[in-house]
């Protein structure tokens, strides 16, 4: 099965490409290297011994996307990762986010319709839940108004997909579309080989990239944002999921879509996390312990827009996708550090 992977050289996309190949699928990558590097392609080859077809294009470029569908002919599924993801930048430059994240999805959906590609897996985020009243969050937990244009784009994209699936159900339309929206919790880690991992360009916004760069001496110290939250140790709680587990969830999602072919035009949502919450301080201490080092860190002010705590109910993913996280927090933090060390060699 040929699967178009947009953003396939990015952090999650590149790991998903590995999982797809291991599952016997045929990924085709499109990426514009906006937030990734061409060397990822070589590194993917080192892991998989496969040269993955690659097109350097922007997913907002409809003609270019059309050409990929025409050249590859029988693309059966799309995993749409390509998107901007820096929350802070989205506040400063919202139009960039609305244009890119929503525009590219619309192009992808139009081309899927034109070329009769029936299966879509979309990268959504737990950000759609904001600060939930009840934990763990289920897929039925309320969606709250987004805190940032980035979060808003995820909510809007979910709606765009739902409406497109609905429209495909009408009799006038012979387009068959099945979609799965995966709401990711916080991805960490790297491929065990250390060939691929998270490659933030510039100063990292996210916790684990900042930690590994601090441990590597690239950053002077980590600031833990807030020590006065209503949590066991006063720091925020998140659900940290190993990126390879997350990658595997995409394979399961595609398999579910393909197997459900007879019941067309469905849109399902799944939380993809571990089901366990860990505080920022716990994560830092675990990082020190598994990697046997001391991290330079201090406590600072809260970061505006952070939710206090969130972690997933993964019952639906367990039952319907047949998926659950296999790797521990320790493995994620070990693999992330291994990746950073390899980068420095
Ligand atoms: N944190 C620190 N210091 C840092 C960076 C982060 O203490 O230098 C804390 C944050 O305050 C937060 C936790 O670490 O409590 C996790 O922060 P991240 O920035 O790693 O991730 P978020 O939970 O903020 O999630 C955000 C978006 C998600 C998106 C995710 C990955 O809200 O939608 O980043 O890009 F998916």
């Amino acid at each position: 099965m040929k699967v178009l992977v947009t953003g396939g050289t990015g952090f999650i996309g590149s790991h998903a490409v590995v999982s797809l190949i291991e599952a016997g699928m045929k990924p085709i990558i499109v990426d514009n290297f906006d937030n990734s590097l061409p060397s990822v392609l070589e590194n993917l080859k080192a892991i998989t011994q496969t040269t993955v077809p690659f097109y350097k294009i922007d997913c907002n470029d409809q003609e270019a996307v059309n050409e990929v569908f025409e050249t590859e002919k029988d693309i059966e599924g799309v995993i749409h990762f390509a998107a901007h993801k820096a929350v802070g930048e989205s506040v400063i430059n919202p139009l960039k986010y609305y244009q890119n994240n929503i525009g590219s999805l619309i192009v992808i959906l139009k081309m899927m319709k034109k070329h009769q590609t029936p299966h879509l897996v979309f990268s959504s985020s737990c950000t759609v839940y904001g600060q939930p009243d009840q934990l763990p969050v289920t897929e039925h937990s309320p969606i709250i108004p987004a805190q940032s244009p980035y979060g808003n784009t995820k909510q809007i994209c979910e709606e765009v997909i739902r409406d497109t699936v609905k429209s495909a159900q009408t009799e006038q339309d012979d387009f068959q579309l099945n979609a799965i929206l995966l709401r990711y919790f916080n991805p960490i880690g790297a491929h065990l080989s250390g060939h691929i991992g998270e490659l933030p360009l510039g100063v990292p916004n996210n916790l684990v990239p900042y930690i590994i760069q601090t441990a590597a001496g690239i950053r002077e110290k980590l600031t833990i944002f807030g020590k006065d939250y209503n949590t066991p140790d006063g720091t925020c709680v998140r659900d940290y999921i190993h990126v390879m587990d997350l990658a595997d969830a995409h394979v399961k999602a595609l398999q579910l879509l393909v197997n459900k072919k007879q019941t067309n035009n469905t849109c399902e949502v799944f939380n993809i996390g571990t089901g366990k919450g860990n505080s920022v301080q716990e994560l830092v201490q675990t990082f020190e312990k598994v990697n046997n080092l001391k991290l330079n860190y201090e406590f600072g002010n809260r970061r505006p827009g952070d939710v206090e705590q969130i972690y997933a109910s993964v019952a639906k993913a367990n039952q319907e996708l047949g998926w659950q996280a296999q790797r521990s927090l320790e493995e994620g933090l070990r693999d992330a550090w291994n990746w950073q060390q390899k980068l420095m060699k």
Side-chain angles (χ1 to χ4, degrees):
M1 172 178 174
K2 277 193 185 173
V3 182
L4 188 70
V5 184
T6 75
T9 60
F11 175 41
I12 305 171
S14 58
H15 291 80
V17 166
V18 173
S19 292
L20 290 167
I21 293 171
E22 281 171 1
M25 297 188 187
K26 295 198 175 95
I28 297 146
I29 299 178
V30 300
D31 207 307
N32 63 357
F33 299 129
D34 179 77
N35 193 26
S36 63
L37 294 175
S39 55
V40 172
L41 295 169
E42 279 311 304
N43 297 336
L44 282 172
K45 193 172 174 191
I47 295 171
T48 63
Q49 316 304 318
T50 308
T51 302
V52 181
F54 170 75
Y55 298 84
K56 183 176 183 300
I57 59 163
D58 187 321
C59 290
N60 276 281
D61 183 342
Q62 186 165 311
E63 265 178 47
V65 175
N66 185 44
E67 235 177 87
V68 175
F69 275 87
E70 273 174 8
T71 310
E72 295 291 340
K73 291 188 179 64
D74 46 355
I75 293 174
E76 279 183 68
V78 176
I79 308 181
H80 185 47
F81 290 106
H84 295 321
K85 61 169 189 177
V87 177
E89 185 194 40
S90 79
V91 176
I92 294 162
N93 198 348
L95 295 181
K96 177 177 170 182
Y97 276 68
Y98 288 118
Q99 169 76 64
N100 184 68
N101 293 6
I102 300 168
S104 65
L105 173 67
I106 291 171
V107 167
I108 291 296
L109 285 168
K110 277 171 139 178
M111 292 305 100
M112 288 179 74
K113 181 168 181 171
K114 180 173 175 195
H115 296 276
Q116 298 288 315
T117 300
H119 306 303
L120 173 67
V121 179
F122 177 71
S123 301
S124 191
S125 165
C126 66
T127 191
V128 301
Y129 299 118
Q131 176 58 68
D133 289 336
Q134 286 190 334
L135 289 168
V137 272
T138 73
E139 290 79 358
H140 297 296
S141 298
I143 302 297
I144 64 127
Q147 297 270 345
S148 69
Y150 160 76
N152 227 350
T153 65
K154 290 295 172 193
Q155 294 191 4
I156 294 167
C157 285
E158 286 198 358
E159 291 305 320
V160 169
I161 294 168
R162 265 196 212 96
D163 287 344
T164 310
V165 168
K166 251 188 243 162
S167 81
Q169 291 166 346
T170 62
E171 279 173 28
Q172 301 94 306
D173 218 326
D174 61 358
F175 177 39
Q176 302 295 327
L177 180 65
N178 295 302
I180 287 184
L181 316 177
L182 297 181
R183 291 183 182 152
Y184 308 153
F185 284 68
N186 289 52
I188 61 163
H191 191 262
L192 193 57
S193 65
H195 284 303
I196 53 172
E198 192 164 7
L199 247 186
L201 305 179
V203 182
N205 294 306
N206 297 122
L207 180 61
V208 172
Y210 208 100
I211 288 177
I212 59 178
Q213 291 197 3
T214 305
I218 300 166
R219 311 279 155 212
E220 195 200 330
K221 69 169 93 134
L222 170 78
T223 302
I224 295 182
F225 298 135
K227 177 90 172 93
D228 58 350
Y229 285 100
N230 186 22
T231 58
D233 64 19
T235 67
C236 291
V237 168
R238 295 287 183 277
D239 184 334
Y240 296 97
I241 168 94
H242 196 294
V243 66
M244 282 309 301
D245 282 331
L246 184 50
D248 291 340
H250 294 78
V251 172
K252 294 282 190 189
L254 275 174
Q255 287 167 341
L256 184 67
L257 288 173
V258 172
N259 294 337
K260 274 200 170 172
K261 215 169 183 173
Q262 65 283 11
T263 55
N264 269 312
N265 307 116
T266 57
C267 183
E268 285 289 341
V269 183
F270 292 98
N271 285 342
I272 303 296
T274 64
K276 190 168 179 282
N278 287 102
S279 75
V280 175
Q281 192 173 0
E282 251 178 319
L283 183 135
V284 168
Q285 287 165 350
T286 309
F287 179 83
E288 291 184 319
K289 194 166 159 216
V290 291
N291 296 312
N292 196 23
L293 46 78
K294 279 269 157 240
L295 193 75
N296 191 17
Y297 68 92
E298 63 179 7
F299 293 98
N301 294 331
R302 292 181 175 198
R303 183 172 69 177
D306 271 342
V307 305
E308 186 168 272
Q309 48 181 328
I310 185 163
Y311 50 91
S313 160
V314 286
K316 187 178 176 197
N318 288 176
Q319 284 155 20
E320 295 179 31
L321 273 188
W323 172 91
Q324 67 179 32
Q326 303 291 332
R327 298 159 179 90
S328 63
L329 180 67
E330 284 78 3
E331 286 170 275
L333 296 173
R334 178 202 65 196
D335 295 345
W337 179 231
N338 176 41
W339 152 249
Q340 177 63 46
Q341 285 175 296
K342 282 223 166 144
L343 269 185
M344 294 186 301
K345 279 185 188 153

